[in-house]
Amino acid sequence: MSQAYNRILVTAALPYANGPVHIGHLAGCYLPSDIYVRFQRARKQDVKFICGTDEHGVPIAIRAMKEGVSPQEVVDKYHKIIGDSFAGMGISFDIFSRTTTDVHRQTSQAFFRKLYDDGLFEERESEQYFDEEKQTFLADRYIVGTCPICSNENAYGDQCEKCGSTLSPEQLINPRSALSNAVPVKKKTKHWYFPLNKYEDFLKEWIVEGKKDEWKSNVYGQCKSWLDSGLQPRAMTRDSNWGVPVPVEGADGKVLYVWFDAPIGYISATKELLPQSWDDYWKKEDTKLVHFIGKDNIVFHCIIFPAMLKAHGGYILPENVPANEFLNIEGDKVSTSRNWAVWIDEYLKDFPDMQDTLRYVLCANAPETKDNDFTWKDFQTRHNSELVDIFGNFINRAMVLMHKLCDGKVPAYHEAEKTDLDINIIKDIQAAKQKIEQSIEHYKFRDALFEVIDIARKGNKYLQEVAPWTLAKTPELKAENQAKIDNCLHIALQLTANLAIFANPFLPFTTKKICSMLTVVDKMLEWENAGRMDLLRKGYPLRAPELLFRKIDDAEIEAQKEKLQANAKQSVILAPEAPAEPVAPELKPVIEFDDFAKVELRVGTILQAEKVKKADKLLQLEVDLGFEKRTIVSGIALHYQPEEVIGQQVVVVVNLAPRKMRGIESAGMILMGEDAEGKLVFISPKNIVNSGVEVK
């Protein structure tokens, strides 16, 4: 049943103040949340957009120790860099706060104390590794030693990055502190555990029964995997001198676990923004709460934080948590420790006044349901072929033709002269409004952006079919056809105004340029105006056209690729990477045997391979299936060169309906595996077999 809401509270995951933000962060949650908020503001909804920097935790204390500065100096530096990067990209927070404020300290301590006074925490004593030289307890990531599996001498206490084995500090041979290189000792310590297991039934009812059809499959699947595995109590305190002090007796030298205090940062930032009415947004059932996050934060926002809110009482729960997957770069996963990243602050310097290009590319290529890949070549192609050649080209043509053929003023529309072409493009404009609206409401921002570009594409087609320049080849022809010319350009200009409304959530900087050319005020951008064909009045004078986008040349792209490689070779350590929470794989729904039996798998042999033009990810393959040869288009070009795959035996889904990809009909699908690094590997028989053999 749909819920009626009077206000919307949108939160974006608090970026960790231990380094700058990169495009993976932007694609993961900050850009989609900004698109959603801009759309809701255009609909005149009461929406508040909350964010800030997460400034506590072991990695920040460790970095400060290594650099010989205070933790406060570290977070002050990166709070400014991160905030400036977001502002530069047009991310429109109502408040960008931080978790080192007095408001946050008081709010998170009060939250903990309420649970403590209610007797919810379990006190437990355990032994943990301690660095006597640095006088600090060590997180698993800051203990190194020899891996018992592969003998790597620099394995971490949580994982060996050489063989990929998951470890515990106790398994390491000759463990030592990553801070001092000293041998750590075991020392007893006491912590307070939140009984997550006691909220398992509540979470199952709320998520499994209540959110299955509303949440994205990747979010629901990860939550269900955790719940099916059984929840355990989790420590909500840590031994550290950097963080929010635990507000109970006998807790000297202990702070709140960063994943306890960080989500409370959403509440404290709202208090900071709205000191008199913050609880309207957190405690009233007619508030729609939406958390935008990356997939590594799903468990904290969908299981741990909701359980905390439930235990405290009085707070609403999120209506949705539309998490995105990870965005890789040039076929490799982002790594801050290897400096394999495209940093937002550097992008803004390298591509001034091109914020919307990055916003566009990251949305068009968003990892909404699975990991995706950013390449500089795709960045260039999408900008030049879609923003310049489709979107910008249509608006420029409409404006230039209006000045040339209609004296720089909006022409009248002559109802008696309307044609089927006119009727159809008007229907397309009105349909685009509905499609964009539906897609954004369902957090399908990539689909919504496609509709924006598609209606611009249809506008270009409409201009080409009417060809008003042909109707005005001579003064006599122009006089004879002026009504048709007027109608064409009237519609083209109304479409231009509609494109400003449609594109505003995605391309706010470009929208301002369009509004300037059309000499209209921001009020026109309200969503209720979308689809209207009377946005610009007859006789209204418009400014001279200006190009919305410039072309990006090959030299700029090569420079960025070289910069990426050079930075990685320098191996600049920006920050120790915090250990990732183990994430169970998302399993698809169970199917019946009869469903599986419909799939026909056979072994094929790749005979020929070539890259598909203007498609960085696609290879066109000729595959021998024994009984016939087929053309199959496969998205493996980022992982294999054409010459590498010739002769490779593969498993093929042979009874998959053909589909066209870049104009090529693909008759089947190659099955591939994906390793932990995102590398695709072939699924093939151990021994060479005849092509066409059925896989059973």
Side-chain angles (χ1 to χ4, degrees):
M1 177 181 286
S2 61
Q3 164 82 39
Y5 296 104
N6 291 321
R7 66 192 71 81
I8 302 173
L9 181 63
V10 174
T11 73
L14 305 186
Y16 202 47
N18 204 25
V21 288
H22 52 66
I23 61 171
H25 296 133
L26 204 64
C29 77
Y30 305 109
L31 180 56
S33 58
D34 188 65
I35 292 169
Y36 183 77
V37 167
R38 287 178 181 275
F39 172 71
Q40 297 297 352
R41 286 174 179 161
R43 296 178 71 206
K44 297 190 286 189
Q45 297 293 309
D46 176 0
V47 56
K48 295 293 181 286
F49 192 12
I50 306 295
C51 194
T53 41
D54 177 4
E55 300 187 348
H56 295 133
V58 173
I60 286 171
I62 299 299
R63 181 178 185 122
M65 193 182 300
K66 285 185 173 181
E67 294 184 2
V69 298
S70 70
Q72 191 65 53
E73 288 176 284
V74 172
V75 298
D76 286 348
K77 173 184 176 181
Y78 288 113
H79 175 78
K80 180 173 181 2
I81 291 174
I82 293 168
D84 289 348
S85 295
F86 285 146
M89 287 300 301
I91 307 298
S92 55
F93 301 124
D94 287 294
I95 185 171
F96 186 68
S97 187
R98 51 200 307 189
T99 59
T100 51
T101 65
D102 287 340
V103 173
H104 176 72
R105 177 181 54 79
Q106 294 164 7
T107 302
S108 54
Q109 285 184 325
F111 198 109
F112 183 93
R113 187 74 202 198
K114 169 74 163 59
L115 302 189
Y116 178 85
D117 290 343
D118 288 346
L120 290 174
F121 287 117
E122 300 172 8
E123 292 185 20
R124 294 186 184 182
E125 195 174 73
S126 62
E127 287 191 334
Q128 293 184 14
Y129 277 112
F130 185 81
D131 185 327
E132 292 184 307
E133 184 176 322
K134 295 294 185 181
Q135 285 296 295
T136 184
F137 282 94
L138 297 170
D140 292 352
R141 170 63 44 146
Y142 301 104
I143 304 168
V144 294
T146 301
C147 174
I149 310 299
C150 71
S151 300
N152 170 26
E153 294 182 355
N154 293 301
Y156 293 110
D158 61 338
Q159 184 183 45
C160 174
E161 294 197 343
K162 184 175 180 181
C163 68
S165 299
T166 299
L167 303 171
S168 66
E170 287 76 15
Q171 292 176 282
L172 292 177
I173 301 167
N174 299 322
R176 61 190 188 279
S177 167
L179 304 181
S180 64
N181 213 37
V183 176
V185 299
K186 284 289 189 75
K187 189 174 179 180
K188 284 188 177 181
T189 184
K190 180 177 71 174
H191 286 293
W192 285 263
Y193 285 71
F194 180 74
L196 202 55
N197 52 307
K198 293 183 179 179
Y199 295 88
E200 196 171 297
D201 289 342
F202 149 70
L203 290 166
K204 284 181 177 178
E205 180 181 355
W206 177 58
I207 296 173
V208 178
E209 297 177 21
K211 300 299 182 184
K212 181 177 181 180
D213 297 327
E214 300 174 24
W215 285 8
K216 293 168 71 171
S217 60
N218 56 320
V219 177
Y220 174 79
Q222 191 178 134
C223 292
K224 191 171 186 304
S225 293
W226 268 69
L227 292 170
D228 289 347
S229 299
L231 302 179
Q232 301 298 323
R234 292 177 68 98
M236 291 297 161
T237 58
R238 292 290 188 269
D239 291 287
S240 179
N241 58 2
W242 178 247
V244 176
V246 175
V248 298
E249 292 182 9
D252 294 340
K254 299 186 190 296
V255 298
L256 299 181
Y257 174 37
V258 69
W259 271 112
F260 182 90
D261 91 89
I264 295 173
Y266 302 137
I267 301 172
S268 60
T270 312
K271 279 187 177 181
E272 216 178 322
L273 176 68
L274 304 165
Q276 304 303 319
S277 59
W278 69 271
D279 50 353
D280 284 352
Y281 290 86
W282 280 100
K283 296 186 175 183
K284 290 192 174 180
E285 292 295 333
D286 59 347
T287 296
K288 179 180 182 178
L289 173 61
V290 185
H291 294 312
F292 283 87
I293 59 170
K295 75 174 177 181
D296 51 337
N297 291 340
I298 290 174
V299 169
F300 299 105
H301 287 77
C302 298
I303 291 181
I304 297 175
F305 188 42
M308 289 165 51
L309 294 173
K310 178 71 173 177
H312 185 286
Y315 285 92
I316 60 172
L317 298 175
E319 186 268 348
N320 213 312
V321 187
N324 274 356
E325 300 292 288
F326 290 149
L327 185 74
N328 299 323
I329 297 175
E330 298 287 352
D332 196 0
K333 73 173 184 177
V334 173
S335 172
T336 57
S337 63
R338 292 187 293 113
N339 207 4
W340 188 259
V342 176
W343 305 104
I344 300 302
D345 57 325
E346 293 184 6
Y347 173 87
L348 290 167
K349 295 173 186 173
D350 293 346
F351 292 93
D353 300 319
M354 294 184 67
Q355 304 96 321
D356 279 350
T357 293
L358 188 58
R359 288 176 65 104
Y360 177 82
V361 172
L362 293 181
C363 182
N365 201 27
E368 290 185 346
T369 55
K370 64 178 182 178
D371 291 357
N372 218 336
D373 196 55
F374 172 92
T375 70
W376 279 111
K377 190 63 181 173
D378 181 67
F379 171 87
Q380 179 191 27
T381 299
R382 286 189 182 276
H383 173 87
N384 289 346
S385 65
E386 295 171 15
L387 285 180
V388 177
D389 291 346
I390 298 174
F391 188 91
N393 181 53
F394 168 73
I395 292 174
N396 187 62
R397 291 171 80 189
M399 294 293 292
V400 167
L401 287 168
M402 178 271 301
H403 277 278
K404 184 177 180 180
L405 303 178
C406 301
D407 299 322
K409 297 178 181 178
V410 178
Y413 187 75
H414 308 278
E415 189 71 27
E417 297 290 334
K418 69 180 178 183
T419 66
D420 287 344
L421 289 175
D422 297 345
I423 294 169
N424 290 337
I425 190 67
I426 291 170
K427 286 181 179 177
D428 287 337
I429 294 168
Q430 292 165 345
K433 175 190 178 181
Q434 301 302 321
K435 292 175 183 177
I436 293 167
E437 185 174 297
Q438 287 294 315
S439 293
I440 293 179
E441 283 287 17
H442 290 89
Y443 311 103
K444 296 180 179 179
F445 306 107
R446 204 166 54 190
D447 290 351
L449 183 57
F450 172 83
E451 295 298 335
V452 176
I453 294 299
D454 194 51
I455 192 60
R457 183 183 290 108
K458 289 173 179 175
N460 275 314
K461 184 172 182 286
Y462 171 73
L463 282 178
Q464 204 64 33
E465 289 174 329
V466 179
W469 54 89
T470 302
L471 299 176
K473 266 190 174 181
T474 67
E476 294 77 18
L477 272 175
K478 185 175 183 298
E480 180 183 339
N481 294 314
Q482 191 62 55
K484 292 179 182 177
I485 295 169
D486 287 351
N487 280 10
C488 175
L489 294 178
H490 180 92
I491 288 174
L493 292 170
Q494 301 296 348
L495 174 50
T496 297
N498 272 280
L499 278 171
I501 302 172
F502 294 156
N504 187 45
F506 308 93
L507 311 173
F509 298 91
T510 303
T511 295
K512 285 185 182 297
K513 294 179 183 178
I514 298 171
C515 288
S516 175
M517 284 192 286
L518 299 180
T519 64
V520 295
V521 295
D522 289 346
K523 187 172 177 60
M524 188 201 74
L525 299 175
E526 292 175 356
W527 192 252
E528 64 185 16
N529 293 323
R532 284 175 47 183
M533 298 303 293
D534 60 351
L535 296 172
L536 302 173
R537 298 192 311 274
K538 169 192 168 184
Y540 194 62
L542 307 183
R543 291 193 175 100
E546 61 175 291
L547 292 178
L548 296 175
F549 310 101
R550 66 168 179 84
K551 287 273 189 177
I552 296 175
D553 60 39
D554 292 343
E556 293 176 271
I557 296 306
E558 287 306 312
Q560 290 299 323
K561 292 166 72 173
E562 290 170 8
K563 177 181 179 180
L564 184 64
Q565 294 290 344
N567 287 346
K569 286 178 182 177
Q570 292 173 6
S571 297
V572 177
I573 305 299
L574 294 177
E577 293 191 311
E581 288 284 327
V583 177
E586 179 189 338
L587 301 179
K588 294 182 178 179
V590 172
I591 62 173
E592 300 296 330
F593 178 82
D594 288 344
D595 295 324
F596 173 75
K598 296 175 184 177
V599 180
E600 184 174 358
L601 304 175
R602 292 187 180 272
V603 175
T605 303
I606 299 175
L607 302 178
Q608 295 184 44
E610 63 180 298
K611 287 189 174 181
V612 176
K613 293 179 181 178
K614 298 183 179 180
D616 290 343
K617 300 179 183 179
L618 302 179
L619 288 185
Q620 180 178 337
L621 310 174
E622 182 181 1
V623 182
D624 181 11
L625 293 172
F627 52 92
E628 65 180 21
K629 296 180 178 65
R630 288 193 188 179
T631 296
I632 297 177
V633 178
S634 182
I636 61 175
L638 294 176
H639 304 268
Y640 297 95
Q641 294 298 315
E643 59 272 15
E644 290 181 277
V645 304
I646 294 175
Q648 172 73 46
Q649 289 211 304
V650 292
V651 175
V652 181
V653 182
V654 296
N655 62 334
L656 190 66
R659 60 178 295 200
K660 281 202 171 182
M661 302 173 71
R662 294 283 182 171
I664 304 166
E665 184 167 274
S666 179
M669 177 185 288
I670 303 272
L671 297 187
M672 305 290 289
E674 185 177 21
D675 65 19
E677 300 297 322
K679 169 75 175 176
L680 296 182
V681 293
F682 285 104
I683 306 298
S684 58
K686 184 176 180 180
N687 301 312
I688 300 297
V689 298
N690 292 331
S691 295
V693 167
E694 188 171 3
V695 179
K696 296 184 177 181

